[in-house]
Each structure stands twice: as C-alpha cells, then as structure tokens.
Amino acid sequence: MSARLEGELLEVSMGPQHPSTHGVFRMNVALDGEIVVKLKPVFGYLHRNHEQIGERTSYLGTMPYTDRLDYFNSMSNNWGYALAVEKLAGVEVPERAQYLRVILAELSRLQNHASLLGFLLSDMGAWGTPLMYAFREREKVLDLFESLAGSRMMCDYMRFGGCRVDADAAWMERAKKIVYDFPRFLDEFEELILENEIVIARTQHVGRVSAELAISAGITGPMLRASGVNYDLRKVDGYGFYPRFKFRIPLGEHGDTYDRLMMRVLEMRESIDILKQAFEAITPGPITNPKVKVRGFRPPAGECYGRIEGPKGELGFYLISDGTGTPYRYHVRAPSFINLTILEDMCLGHTVADVMVILGSIDIVMGEVDR
Amino acid sequence: MTGAGILKGMAVTARNFVGSYFEKERLTTVQYPEERAPLPENYRNFPFLVFDGDEAQAGLRCVACQICEKECPPQCIYIVKSKDKKPDYMGKPQFYPATFDIDISVCMSCQICVEVCPFDAIKMDKVYELSRRERFDALLMDKHELAKSNSYYHGIHPTEATEVDTRLAEAAAKKKPAPPATAAPPAVAAAAKAATSAPAAEAVVSGTLPAKPTPPAT
Ligand code: SF4
Ligand code: SF4
C-alpha cells in the first residue's frame, strides 16, 4: 500500500487531567494521522477570581494570594506585587531588604528552572528519574524558604517597603552552601541530557518561534530570549538592586525547544553568579520601612504598573487606587498565560507527541494562567 | 558516535544510584511517617490564641478588637465581643471574645492576623496532621480549642516568643511602675535564658509536641 490514505481529521481532547499538561489544561487537537493541523487551548479550569478578590481585600491581603498565582515562585510574585504597590505609594525599601529580595528571587529562579528541566524530560518520556534529580535540588531551596518564611511554597514573605523576617547568619551560610554546591548538580544534569541523542532528536527544530512572532505575540522571559531577542527586565528596567550586579543575559538562536531548554540551564548559571555577588554585598541593617503601616495601609489615588522579570517572563501587576484601603482595579499580567497564546503556531505540523514537549518548554503554571 | 550521549547519561544515573547508598546528599528522602523531617523554627501553619497564666479562658490576651477578623483575607475568623469586661493579664478590665472561631479549612496560613494584632494575642501554630473524617465542622476551631499557653508558644517559636514577652513586659513597666501580680517578667527572664542556652527548638516535631507545655528550663 503505497498510496496515502486520505481520511477525516481525528479530534483529540488532551487534558485536562493529563500528567503532561502541568495542571488542568486542555487542548483540543485536530490530527491528520499523527500531525497536528489545529490546536485550540482551553483554559479556565483553575479560575479562582484572583483579580476580583484583589479588589475586595486590602492591599496587604492580596499579598498571600499572589503566592498562589505561580505557586513555584511565590517569592518573585511577592516581589512583583510589592514593587507595584511601592511604586503606587512611593515607598522606599531599605538596602538589606533589597538584597534579600534579589537573593530570594534568584533562588526561586534556580528551583523553577531546575524543576522545569525535570518536567520537560518527563514530558519527553524520561519518566521520573531526571525529575527526581531536579526535585532533590529544588527541595533544598524550598527548605531554605521554609526556614526563613515559614512555608515552602506559600512564602508570603515580602511586605510593602521590605521583607517580613530577617535572615540570620546561619541561614545565610546554608544558602551559600546550597548555591555554591549547585553547579555540581548543573554539571551532572547537563551531562545527563545535553548530548543525549533522544533529547536532541526530540527538541531540535521542534516548536520554533521566530523573533518576530515572539515579539508580536508579547512573549517574554526565557522563551523570548531563546528566539534571540535580548530583553530582560532585570537589565531593561533595572528594578531593585539588579543594576549593582554583573551578569549576562543568555540568548538563543533558533527559538526551538532545545534553545528554550538550554536557556534555562544558562540562566541558572547566571543566577548563581548573581547570588554569589549578593552574598558578598549584603550588609546588616533594617529590613522594613518603618513608615509603612501594617494596618489600614492606604496608598494615594493613582495608578501604576509594577513588573519584574519572573522566572517565566514579565510578571506585571497593574493597580488603580482611589485612595481607599482596597484597589479600585487590580490586574495581573501573567507571563505563562501570554506565552501560552502562541501554542498553536508552535505545534502546527508537529506530531502529537511533540505537543507535550513544546508545551513543557513554555513553562506554564496553571495557577497563573487561569488566576 | 550515536548512543554515546545516552551512555553518558546512563553513567550519571548509575553514579546517582550507587551514590545513594553512600552519600547523604544523593538520598535525601525521609520515610514519613516513621521518620519526620524537623520543622524549622519559623514554620507556620494555623493561628492559635495565646493565654498567660494557668487558666486558658481567663488568661486570653485577646481583647476582641476584631482587627484580625477584618483583615483576614479569606475571612475565616468570626468573633463576638463580650458584653462585660474581665481583667486581662495585666489586671486591666478589657473586653474578651465571647466567641472566637477560626475555620482552619479556610485559613490560608498567611499570618496576617498575627501581624495586625496589636496585643500579640494570636500567633502561628506548628501542628499538622489535622485531617478529619467530617467535612465541615471538625476544622472549625472555637476559642477553647484555639487557646494555647504562652509556654507552648515558647516551645514552638522560642526566639519570637521571647521578643514578644520582652516587648510586653516593657510596655507593662512603662504603663504601671508596679504591675499587680504579673507572671510575665520572671517568665521572660527564664525564657530568655532558655532560648539562648538551648536553641534546640528546630528539632521540635509537631506531631509529638507535648500537650502540656514543658516548663522553661532554668
Ligand atoms: S493566617 Fe491568614 S487566613 Fe488564617 S486566620 Fe490568619 S489572617 Fe486569616
Ligand atoms: S486576636 Fe488580636 S486582633 Fe484579633 S480580636 Fe483578638 S486582640 Fe484583636
């Protein structure tokens, strides 16, 4: 039988309860044989009214809810939200708190990228083992978060004008040790995957995103940089104390899944550099701004947009204040949601098995996509 | 050579597998529930009400000001203020909560109630394994279940509790040169000593916390 059988398209509903969809996410895929010809993402299964709740609770009360956006990176979410409110209210952040924020955000990036690599390999069929190696490292960082902020994932650590608890010397030592030991894991992980023929075959030239498409779709974060666009808010905005650090922005060339994967590995190495510099630079001092009231915090009327370079991309918080204790409007620009919008463009023409890998390389967390 | 990358990767897994027998670094799992990882001192999950002295309800520091009820983001605190007043731990007549309920199943452990309370009356607990068979009422804690003694607080968060006690003692000393029958100052000194001499609280494991608080070592 040499002639190709022309049949109807097969429609498959992938998800929402599928281990590779990273939460509750559904894709309606139309398949021609094994090739994707149409893909429609369906989300909203995890919608929790985050923005509406933010308009009902006090400014402070939204802080713990931001933990639950991208629950892998509560530290960076806290920072993004705190940054927006600090901008709105014109609050200064003391030096030590700024360094602590950098340290925690970069630790958060480390564990996020490490687990992403693990998940991505899981999606490729390397079930379990690489993921467990990644989680072993992640666990160390989460233990650090727990002993500082009291919780592993729902850190709720930052406050307007500073941080909630100070890190003592013992904590710093532990953090230093973990950071200095991290390259060992990275080396090993690179050895495990980067030359692996299966990984290469499954990722190179798969799910390419051109720089033009990435820019016009509003893609941010490692995914944008994998397409070769040099855009990192740590450099562009220079928020926090990032201008004081020396680090490079890794850039990809092809914008395929392999580049996105490598981007995470390289970014982790840069994060380690930032962390090492931060450990050197941090000095004792106050960590909160005494002018900020805990009870009845009311920023002046106005609006502002605060954004940070989260591990997944540009995480922005938009707030309109009418001078009362609750924001008039609160909006979250969730990077994984916006990065997910070009999923169809990335998947067309690839096999259904590649969809999982492409989806994995976007790095989504449904808590943030659906909010 | 095709396959060299795969072999290299297999060498890594082999290293990890063999290494897990010899290196603690490579085998970090804990066999829960037989083994438990120690809880860090800052660990928090659900709030409880602190009382001074021996009598739980009489010694509650809470004055039913209802600030925490207002500030709690998921609104899981319910307070009814008392009609009458009773002397608080410093002997001053104060309102007290006639009802103080926290729905633990709604609480998200954010500890905002702790931060906003002006009277250091509510603090974060460390208990876990709270699963219940019933779906609703069993996790609705009333003020009797929530009340825990100050020495229990010292047991779980020694550093923080000592700070709080010092602050309260200072406030009391400022207000009244001779506070009537306050048990706080001597306890503070003892606790401060205990906290500095034995920072072993990191190893306190929630499931085995003594129901009766251990007296601060002197
Ligand atoms: S910890 Fe947070 S959610 Fe729980 S009772 Fe306190 S304020 Fe409410
Ligand atoms: S716990 Fe504190 S904030 Fe809440 S009602 Fe009692 S005194 Fe007021």
Side-chain angles (χ1 to χ4, degrees):
Chain A
M1 270 231 323
S2 56
R4 191 168 171 278
L5 283 176
E6 290 298 332
E8 286 183 10
L9 294 183
L10 176 68
E11 283 197 28
V12 181
S13 174
M14 291 169 84
Q17 295 93 350
H18 191 285
S20 307
T21 53
H22 299 256
V24 276
F25 173 58
R26 186 154 69 96
M27 289 168 284
N28 279 342
V29 197
L31 298 173
D32 177 9
E34 243 197 309
I35 308 295
V36 178
V37 292
K38 219 167 101 191
L39 186 147
K40 190 171 152 235
V42 184
F43 21 65
Y45 293 96
L46 208 59
H47 182 62
R48 308 178 306 290
N49 255 323
H50 178 78
E51 292 176 6
Q52 183 65 47
I53 291 174
E55 289 162 19
R56 165 180 81 67
T57 45
S58 62
Y59 282 88
L60 177 62
T62 305
M63 186 62 87
Y65 284 115
T66 62
D67 292 342
R68 285 135 178 101
L69 282 171
D70 168 3
Y71 38 78
F72 269 75
N73 298 297
S74 56
M75 286 291 186
S76 7
N77 298 347
N78 284 176
W79 193 2
Y81 179 63
L83 197 77
V85 176
E86 280 155 11
K87 231 168 142 182
L88 188 65
V91 173
E92 291 289 316
V93 182
E95 183 144 327
R96 184 175 172 86
Q98 291 278 26
Y99 278 119
L100 276 175
R101 285 180 177 191
V102 170
I103 291 174
L104 291 162
E106 292 305 322
L107 280 172
S108 188
R109 196 183 312 275
L110 278 184
Q111 55 92 8
N112 177 72
H113 285 359
S115 30
L116 172 100
L117 291 179
F119 279 126
L120 190 55
L121 284 157
S122 242
D123 292 346
M124 264 181 246
W127 255 113
T129 309
L131 181 62
M132 287 305 135
Y133 294 170
F135 268 23
R136 199 171 53 197
E137 296 309 306
R138 174 170 183 246
E139 208 60 16
K140 294 180 191 162
V141 178
L142 292 189
D143 282 347
L144 272 182
F145 287 175
E146 188 183 28
S147 59
L148 182 64
S151 183
R152 298 154 57 78
M153 289 170 82
M154 304 298 141
C155 299
D156 186 23
Y157 178 68
M158 297 187 194
R159 289 289 179 257
F160 313 135
C163 302
R164 195 157 50 77
V165 264
D166 200 356
D168 55 14
W171 188 89
M172 281 293 172
E173 281 311 310
R174 266 176 71 198
K176 250 185 229 174
K177 182 164 183 314
I178 288 168
V179 169
Y180 279 84
D181 284 353
F182 209 86
R184 180 177 121 149
F185 157 74
L186 276 181
D187 293 340
E188 205 173 86
F189 210 78
E190 284 187 7
E191 213 175 300
L192 181 68
I193 59 170
L194 293 185
E195 284 174 43
N196 190 309
E197 285 80 1
I198 303 174
V199 173
I200 289 174
R202 290 294 305 277
T203 56
Q204 287 191 349
H205 308 296
V206 171
R208 289 181 79 143
V209 183
S210 66
E212 293 75 38
L213 175 64
I215 292 171
S216 57
I219 305 301
T220 45
M223 198 173 152
L224 176 70
R225 295 191 286 275
S227 300
V229 184
N230 188 354
Y231 183 78
D232 187 317
L233 291 176
R234 288 175 292 176
K235 292 275 190 205
V236 176
D237 273 13
Y239 63 92
F241 271 4
Y242 278 115
R244 298 195 184 184
F245 294 96
K246 259 174 78 182
F247 61 101
R248 294 169 302 169
I249 306 295
L251 288 179
E253 233 174 83
H254 308 93
D256 57 3
T257 307
Y258 188 76
D259 275 14
R260 285 195 284 278
L261 194 153
M262 278 308 292
M263 200 55 52
R264 268 59 185 228
V265 178
L266 295 173
E267 278 196 4
M268 277 195 269
R269 299 223 182 249
E270 293 305 317
S271 287
I272 291 171
D273 272 357
I274 297 177
L275 280 164
K276 285 179 181 169
Q277 292 170 43
F279 288 137
E280 292 304 313
I282 192 165
T283 46
I287 54 156
T288 47
N289 184 335
K291 281 191 217 125
V292 181
K293 283 193 290 179
V294 182
R295 289 181 292 267
F297 177 78
R298 280 169 212 274
E303 60 182 293
C304 78
Y305 179 64
R307 56 183 190 173
I308 60 155
E309 180 70 33
K312 298 186 160 62
E314 172 183 336
L315 175 66
F317 291 87
Y318 178 63
L319 286 160
I320 302 180
S321 156
D322 52 4
T324 58
T326 54
Y328 172 73
R329 178 77 178 98
Y330 166 63
H331 174 71
V332 184
R333 183 213 188 270
S336 15
F337 172 62
I338 293 170
N339 291 357
L340 194 56
T341 50
I342 57 162
L343 184 64
E344 183 173 18
D345 304 73
M346 296 162 82
C347 292
L348 289 187
H350 291 294
T351 61
V352 68
D354 287 338
V355 171
M356 286 304 151
V357 181
I358 294 170
L359 181 70
S361 74
I362 299 178
D363 191 6
I364 55 164
V365 159
M366 291 320 283
E368 188 178 67
V369 174
D370 292 339
R371 297 192 293 283
Chain B
M1 187 189 84
T2 316
I6 294 178
L7 287 180
K8 233 174 156 181
M10 283 181 167
V12 174
T13 36
R15 197 152 70 226
N16 272 284
F17 172 65
V18 179
S20 68
Y21 285 95
F22 305 104
E23 271 182 75
K24 187 85 194 67
E25 280 281 285
R26 291 196 195 271
L27 186 72
T28 50
T29 40
V30 170
Q31 299 297 325
Y32 178 84
E34 288 84 17
E35 266 181 79
R36 280 149 203 260
L39 288 177
E41 191 184 326
N42 281 352
Y43 179 78
R44 68 187 143 89
N45 54 9
F46 298 115
F48 68 95
L49 295 173
V50 189
F51 68 83
D52 293 290
D54 297 327
E55 270 218 60
Q57 294 310 315
L60 280 186
R61 288 182 188 168
C62 176
V63 299
C65 69
Q66 295 180 307
I67 292 178
C68 57
E69 185 186 31
K70 196 169 129 264
E71 295 277 345
C72 169
Q75 300 277 296
C76 62
I77 307 182
Y78 175 68
I79 302 173
V80 177
K81 202 184 212 158
S82 62
K83 296 270 183 296
D84 55 330
K85 292 192 175 186
K86 72 162 175 61
D88 70 351
Y89 63 100
M90 294 205 303
K92 205 167 117 204
Q94 292 274 21
F95 289 111
Y96 61 95
T99 309
F100 195 118
D101 294 343
I102 297 183
D103 192 345
I104 298 289
S105 59
V106 174
C107 171
M108 60 172 174
S109 316
C110 66
Q111 77 158 9
I112 282 180
C113 47
V114 176
E115 279 166 60
V116 297
C117 177
F119 300 93
D120 286 302
I122 188 165
K123 295 290 167 197
M124 292 311 264
D125 207 343
K126 278 187 175 183
V127 288
Y128 55 99
E129 297 175 331
L130 289 164
S131 62
R132 298 282 195 272
R133 282 188 176 275
E134 306 80 26
R135 252 183 107 173
F136 300 104
D137 301 357
L139 286 171
L140 184 69
M141 303 278 189
D142 63 15
K143 64 173 180 173
H144 300 280
E145 285 165 282
L146 288 170
K148 299 205 174 147
S149 70
N150 192 20
S151 25
Y152 173 82
Y153 179 37
H154 274 283
I156 57 174
H157 298 295
T159 327
E160 193 189 294
T162 313
E163 268 169 35
V164 167
D165 273 1
T166 324
R167 196 163 65 225
L168 288 180
E170 273 170 15
K174 228 186 269 169
K175 270 200 190 122
K176 285 183 202 167
T182 311
V188 174
K193 229 183 277 164
T196 43
S197 62
E202 285 255 352
V204 174
V205 170
S206 149
T208 57
L209 268 178
K212 266 275 178 99
T214 38
T218 36

